Amino acid sequence: MTGLATALPDIEPARLVFTRNSNPKPPPESSKLVWGRIFTDHMLMIKWNALSGWADPHILPYGPLSLEPSSSVLHYAQTIFEGLKAYRDEDGKITLFRPDMNMKRMNRSAARIALPGFDGDALQKLIMKLIEIDAHWVPQLPGHSLYIRPTLIGNQPTLGVAPPTDALLFVICSPVGPYYPNGFKPVSLYGTTEFVRAAPGGTGSYKLGVNYAPGIIPQKLAAKQGYAQNLWLWGPDHLLTEVGTMNVLAVFKKDDGSIELATPPLEDVILPGITRDSVLELARAHASGSLSLDGLPKNFTVTERPISMKEVKAASENGTLVEIFGAGTAAVITTVDRIGYLGEDVIVPVGEDGLGPVSRVILREITGRQIGKIPSSWSVVVKE
Ligand SMILES: *Cc1c(COP(=O)(O)O)cnc(C)c1O
């Protein structure tokens, strides 16, 4: 696979072909944005073929794709995606948050389902070009951003189940408002034991389209019982894995008085979230003393270890559960106030502002780096 990819043309930003949209739309009013419904004037598209490699990249007007009904993606879910955001700071500067991580993860996802790999730096450059072209679509209001959705599909027009001979990479962009327009609000979770999102040896740790459709009915059933999201529990010990489509973290008070931030380790059933990684890196820097995050306790540890519902329930009952939150690009942090588990509700503490003592600091530190308030190498400038 990789041997083939190196011998054939890779994605080449210098060969970009740009077709300007002659019928551009005015971007909608920021206050009226509905998540993922409206797309900018242009998209990026790059074709791949097993014999000729990556073709010249195109930026062209946003519009429908033309696919053969026999396209492999339509039958066997040969599709992977990424999600990242462009932010505009107070001076109008546009930045991306850790886009190199998205490029790496996208290549990892591609390899898992035999889609072609590519030069991540090259794709990042082209995404930055696309954002520059549609820069007036990056909302200015605080909490708003431009959501970027790179997607790669196999579109070989034959019905055999095999690595595709043809693929199509495209990137579309959608302006989005704040996840919590009316202030931070904790969510309730349904501890899900009757469905699994991911299993050892499966594909849960890759951002594949195939992982998402099976979660829709469990989500509907949880909503019917009054819960906002599924808390995906795994195995006989009902280990916490993920919250809906976010990673999960829990904070405990230990016997020695220290505070522990814990999250399940990156194994087969956990998606390696970039927000998760950012939370851990900041928290570890504080724990080691290399960075002091105002508001976090001094006596603080960070662990990647299995967390069972039994432990969470006991901690909720004996007062050592400090908080539980989800982490992901869409909302950055989502706090939890209760978990429906085997017929009863486990109560999770939250502060009056909807945040907990650790999530409040983490949210401030991550969003500060995203919008350029806190200088950071994680923030990559697209346009000054
Ligand atoms: C995308 C995703 C996440 C979060 O990843 P980020 O890189 O932080 O946005 C977590 N879990 C699942 C299942 C996901 O698809």
Side-chain angles (χ1 to χ4, degrees):
M1 187 80 214
T2 45
L4 197 67
T6 50
L8 292 171
D10 208 320
I11 294 177
E12 189 46 76
R15 298 184 63 86
L16 176 67
V17 179
F18 174 39
T19 310
R20 187 172 287 283
N21 191 333
S22 56
N23 196 9
K25 301 178 295 244
E29 234 179 275
S30 290
S31 59
K32 301 229 167 81
L33 294 172
V34 181
W35 200 87
R37 289 243 184 110
I38 291 171
F39 299 92
T40 65
D41 290 325
H42 297 92
M43 61 182 179
L44 169 67
M45 200 172 273
I46 319 171
K47 289 179 179 168
W48 177 88
N49 174 272
L51 297 177
S52 50
W54 289 100
D56 291 351
H58 272 73
I59 289 178
L60 66 165
Y62 177 92
L65 302 178
S66 168
L67 292 177
E68 298 261 352
S70 57
S71 275
S72 42
V73 61
L74 302 176
H75 303 271
Y76 310 125
Q78 286 174 325
T79 177
I80 65 168
F81 67 96
E82 273 302 324
L84 66 161
K85 285 174 169 177
Y87 306 86
R88 190 190 284 279
D89 73 8
E90 284 155 17
D91 309 324
K93 190 164 76 184
I94 299 172
T95 58
L96 289 169
F97 186 70
R98 309 187 75 186
D100 55 313
M101 298 277 283
N102 295 94
M103 299 298 101
K104 272 193 206 120
R105 188 170 65 188
M106 194 170 180
N107 265 300
R108 189 177 162 270
S109 299
R112 179 62 183 83
I113 58 168
L115 285 169
F118 56 86
D119 176 350
D121 290 341
L123 181 59
Q124 184 181 319
K125 268 197 197 112
L126 287 161
I127 289 174
M128 287 164 79
K129 185 75 203 168
L130 176 66
I131 298 167
E132 249 190 274
I133 289 169
D134 282 339
H136 61 291
W137 282 83
V138 184
Q140 183 94 57
L141 289 179
H144 291 61
S145 58
L146 186 70
Y147 183 80
I148 301 150
R149 171 54 65 87
T151 308
L152 174 58
I153 63 173
N155 64 344
Q156 164 173 318
T158 60
L159 293 180
V161 179
T165 54
D166 295 275
L168 179 65
L169 194 163
F170 57 88
V171 182
I172 56 177
C173 305
S174 173
V176 295
Y179 210 79
Y180 298 100
N182 305 313
F184 223 85
K185 208 173 167 308
V187 299
S188 57
L189 303 180
Y190 177 68
T192 306
T193 53
E194 59 276 65
F195 298 98
V196 289
R197 188 193 84 85
T203 58
S205 70
Y206 303 88
K207 234 172 160 68
L208 310 185
V210 73
N211 292 336
Y212 297 84
I216 295 172
I217 290 296
Q219 149 73 36
K220 284 269 170 234
L221 293 173
K224 219 169 158 182
Q225 296 184 66
Y227 299 96
Q229 286 287 346
N230 297 93
L231 172 62
W232 298 102
L233 301 175
W234 166 250
D237 294 332
H238 294 162
L239 299 177
L240 279 65
T241 63
E242 302 222 19
V243 179
T245 58
M246 287 176 286
N247 292 118
V248 64
L249 298 101
V251 181
F252 299 100
K253 214 177 291 167
K254 309 299 278 186
D255 289 344
D256 63 3
S258 68
I259 297 292
E260 180 201 22
L261 171 64
T263 193
L266 286 184
E267 282 164 7
D268 286 6
V269 299
I270 310 288
L271 195 286
I274 294 159
T275 317
R276 174 190 183 278
D277 186 82
S278 307
V279 173
L280 292 179
E281 203 170 314
L282 289 169
R284 284 200 173 112
H286 176 83
S288 73
S290 66
L291 188 71
S292 173
L293 301 183
D294 193 26
L296 284 189
K298 285 225 153 37
N299 203 349
F300 182 69
T301 58
V302 182
T303 53
E304 287 175 83
R305 63 167 179 87
I307 305 164
S308 70
M309 263 319 285
K310 190 174 158 197
E311 179 186 1
V312 169
K313 190 161 180 269
S316 164
E317 284 163 4
N318 69 24
T320 57
L321 182 63
V322 179
E323 61 170 319
I324 292 181
F325 57 94
T329 295
V332 186
I333 297 290
T334 300
T335 52
V336 174
D337 60 4
R338 68 190 168 105
I339 302 170
Y341 179 57
L342 305 181
E344 51 181 322
D345 272 354
V346 174
I347 302 303
V348 182
V350 266
E352 269 176 23
D353 61 354
L355 286 158
V358 175
S359 58
R360 182 179 299 112
V361 175
I362 292 291
L363 180 68
R364 179 193 74 212
E365 294 295 321
I366 292 185
T367 52
R369 283 162 177 79
Q370 286 170 338
I371 61 171
K373 259 200 186 132
I374 306 172
S376 163
S377 59
W378 286 346
S379 181
V380 177
V381 177
V382 175
K383 193 169 187 274
E384 289 292 345

